[in-house]
Amino acid sequence: MKKILIIVPDGGMLFESAGIADILMHANQLHPEGLDRPRYHIDIATTQPHQVIHGQSGLNLLADHRIHELDPRAPLDTIIITGRGQTEQEGTAVVDWLRLAAPHARRIASVCGGAMLLAQSGLLNGRRATTHWKLLETLQVAFPEVRVEGGPLYIQDGHIWTSGGVTSGFDLTLALVEEDYGFSLARDVAQDLVMYLRRPGGQLQFSRYSLRQNSGSGPINALQTWILENIAADLCVEKLAERVAMSPRNFTRVFTRETGASPARYVAEARLAAARQQLEQTADTLDKIAAQTGFGSSINLRRIFEKQLHLTPGEYRQRFHCRKMA
């Protein structure tokens, strides 16, 4: 029997931890014949001095343990951290306990902002990792020794697993079940719970397209606005530099410093964002969208989508289009 400890900081989304526990418990209930004991024993631990975990929805969860009462040297199969907590003190309590417990656990995993605590404990040093797309840049800046990746729903690097935001923890949990007991059990759990064992679309977590916007009022800020309004124009570095009366070399240096992205990368992100928006909100053909967003042809549009988002424009539209799309 594998002992699983789920650490749930206060003030988060409780369905993350509840969903993970339900997936593991369902794995216990399927094909029980021949089992002398359940596959998983699951405990919930809180970071609070009491056993009530308050969720951001107003609902509460009763924990089995308070983390400060647990012996970190006790052997565990898997430790799962479902968030980073609301206060620095709460996060530090988890990190301090985790540093002591890590050598005694076979596997450690995080969901969403829990990756920040794994990084703080040093467990992600030199490893590939992911987190919620809103925290990717924060994780990379705060912990440059971590190899942060923004695409996958979850990443396994040795015995450390990290997952993206919210429901990606369910994908990770099914992967843990598959690693522990094989494909057939994980598939049966997924089918019973009406889940994908592996989601279509390259297992990608989709961020909202929020382009970096310089907060000032200088020429670079004005140029960013012009780019977004003229996305189909010739946006090569030379043309953009000319608009702000700079040499291409100096323009690239200044633009990158003020926006955090090179001109070429910013244009590419802007065009991809514009194409995603049109696929979501219009019924325009792919050729028309490609022309309006600077990709030129539907072939180029498809190539960029497959490279960046791991699915075709048509698949993206099917997943994200407005129900009352014109």
Side-chain angles (χ1 to χ4, degrees):
M1 181 170 59
K2 301 183 184 300
K3 294 184 178 181
I4 311 294
L5 178 67
I6 306 174
I7 300 174
V8 187
D10 215 44
M13 295 183 178
L14 297 182
F15 84 109
E16 293 175 341
S17 52
I20 290 169
D22 279 339
I23 291 170
L24 296 174
M25 286 301 296
H26 201 71
N28 283 343
Q29 295 165 6
L30 286 177
H31 316 302
E33 59 277 2
L35 293 177
D36 57 350
R37 53 184 177 174
R39 297 180 175 93
Y40 295 106
H41 175 84
I42 304 141
D43 282 320
I44 303 289
T46 176
T47 56
Q48 299 302 302
H50 46 74
Q51 287 182 250
V52 177
I53 304 171
H54 302 96
Q56 68 175 37
S57 64
L59 297 177
N60 297 324
L61 178 67
L62 184 63
D64 301 292
H65 307 283
R66 292 169 286 195
I67 191 172
H68 67 273
E69 296 175 337
L70 291 174
D71 182 359
R73 297 164 298 179
L76 289 166
D77 182 84
T78 305
I79 300 170
I80 303 175
I81 301 175
T82 63
R84 58 175 172 167
Q86 294 184 304
T87 66
E88 182 177 349
Q89 181 181 9
E90 186 178 16
T92 300
V94 175
V95 169
D96 290 345
W97 187 90
L98 186 59
R99 285 179 176 143
L100 297 173
H104 307 284
R106 180 177 72 90
R107 188 169 56 189
I108 299 173
S110 67
V111 180
C112 201
M116 301 294 292
L117 302 186
L118 295 192
Q120 190 176 339
S121 70
L123 291 171
L124 298 185
N125 289 351
R127 296 184 185 275
R128 298 169 56 237
T130 192
T131 186
H132 192 286
W133 56 265
K134 286 184 177 180
L135 295 173
L136 291 169
E137 187 173 352
T138 301
L139 178 62
Q140 188 65 88
V141 171
F143 303 98
E145 62 275 21
V146 180
R147 292 150 52 194
V148 179
E149 298 184 16
L153 290 174
Y154 63 85
I155 289 175
Q156 177 190 8
D157 191 325
H159 70 293
I160 304 294
W161 298 63
T162 54
S163 61
V166 195
T167 61
S168 62
F170 303 162
D171 299 85
L172 180 146
T173 305
L174 286 171
L176 299 182
V177 172
E178 184 175 3
E179 181 184 63
D180 292 341
Y181 295 106
F183 166 79
S184 296
L185 180 63
R187 177 205 59 204
D188 291 352
V189 171
Q191 289 177 344
D192 274 13
L193 299 181
V194 197
M195 300 171 62
Y196 284 113
L197 179 57
R198 295 181 181 85
R199 293 196 216 187
Q203 294 274 38
L204 196 72
Q205 62 166 328
F206 289 90
S207 62
R208 286 199 298 272
Y209 33 86
S210 177
L211 294 174
R212 301 172 183 84
Q213 191 72 30
N214 179 26
S215 59
S217 57
I220 297 301
N221 180 266
L223 180 64
Q224 287 179 281
T225 300
W226 184 87
I227 289 172
L228 299 179
E229 293 174 349
N230 297 272
I231 204 69
D234 182 355
L235 301 178
C236 67
V237 169
E238 290 75 17
K239 293 288 187 181
L240 295 176
E242 184 179 341
R243 287 195 63 85
V244 291
M246 295 182 183
S247 68
R249 182 176 180 180
N250 187 49
F251 165 69
T252 298
R253 181 179 60 82
V254 173
F255 189 96
T256 303
R257 184 187 67 216
E258 294 194 14
T259 69
S262 68
R265 181 180 172 189
Y266 186 86
V267 168
E269 290 181 356
R271 284 177 167 162
L272 182 60
R276 287 172 66 179
Q277 186 176 46
Q278 293 216 36
L279 287 167
E280 293 167 6
Q281 300 179 16
T282 78
D284 291 345
T285 66
L286 297 186
D287 283 325
K288 184 176 181 180
I289 291 174
Q292 292 176 336
T293 56
F295 288 106
S297 70
S298 59
I299 294 176
N300 290 336
L301 181 67
R302 182 186 181 99
R303 184 171 64 248
I304 292 297
F305 264 70
E306 290 180 340
K307 180 181 179 180
Q308 298 296 325
L309 303 182
H310 300 185
L311 75 175
T312 67
E315 290 168 338
Y316 183 89
R317 170 174 271 167
Q318 186 176 30
R319 292 181 68 176
F320 293 105
H321 72 81
C322 174
R323 290 185 181 274
K324 296 183 179 179
M325 187 172 65

